[in-house]
Amino acid sequence: MIQKNIAIRDAENRDISSIMELICLKAEFDGCAESVQTTPEKLKDDLFGQKPLAFVLVAEIDRNLVGFATYHFTYSTFLAKPCIWLDDLYIKTEYRSKGIGEGLIQNLCKIAQLKGCGRIDWTVAAQNERGIKFYQRIGAKIIQKARLCRLDIEAISQNSYQ
């Protein structure tokens, strides 16, 4: 059940400082606070510039941002359809279990339907049991046989043709 006074909307340029705060809280929750390298200026360019690289849904209560979902579009050659990659979903601790996460996911699903997406994908930390239960409750399938692979900036540089 979604809390009555919650509003979920597309982020706007005026939300940058609150989005920055939520990113830092998410990184702290994930145990990697030191990995945040973004700046408000970079977010402004990447989220609200001529060609946005990602999009943000925000959840607010009484005009205070209490959660967010960041996402971007991908493409599945198997489905021959666009898809959504949910990058971050975070709700401030004191606002959890109030339907806010569900509201963000519902809005993301509406976007996926409007864009003709074949699926929404994301990762969840293996130790995030509360998150896993939430995702299973909303119908997500937790795929155990896949593993996240990542090339960081150093590996990209080492593997690029010069």
Side-chain angles (χ1 to χ4, degrees), residues 26 53-57 69-76 81-89 105 108-109 111-112 115 117-125 143 146-150:
K26 169 78 165 74
L53 299 175
F55 305 92
V56 182
L57 290 173
T70 63
Y71 65 97
H72 61 271
F73 293 92
T74 62
Y75 183 79
S76 169
K81 289 183 176 249
C83 302
I84 288 178
W85 179 265
L86 172 60
D87 194 47
D88 290 317
L89 176 68
I105 293 291
L108 196 59
C109 288
I111 293 166
K115 299 290 187 178
C117 294
R119 66 179 182 229
I120 300 172
D121 293 311
W122 67 95
T123 61
V124 59
I143 301 169
R147 298 276 190 238
L148 174 67
C149 298
R150 176 178 293 154

Side-chain angles (χ1 to χ4, degrees), residues 9-20 40-49 56 58 65:
R9 60 174 176 79
D10 292 325
E12 299 173 1
N13 199 7
R14 66 182 167 94
D15 299 319
I16 292 286
S17 62
S18 295
I19 292 169
M20 227 12 245
E41 296 76 22
K42 184 75 172 127
L43 285 177
K44 182 178 178 184
D45 290 343
D46 292 347
L47 301 177
F48 305 107
V56 182
V58 293
L65 266 58

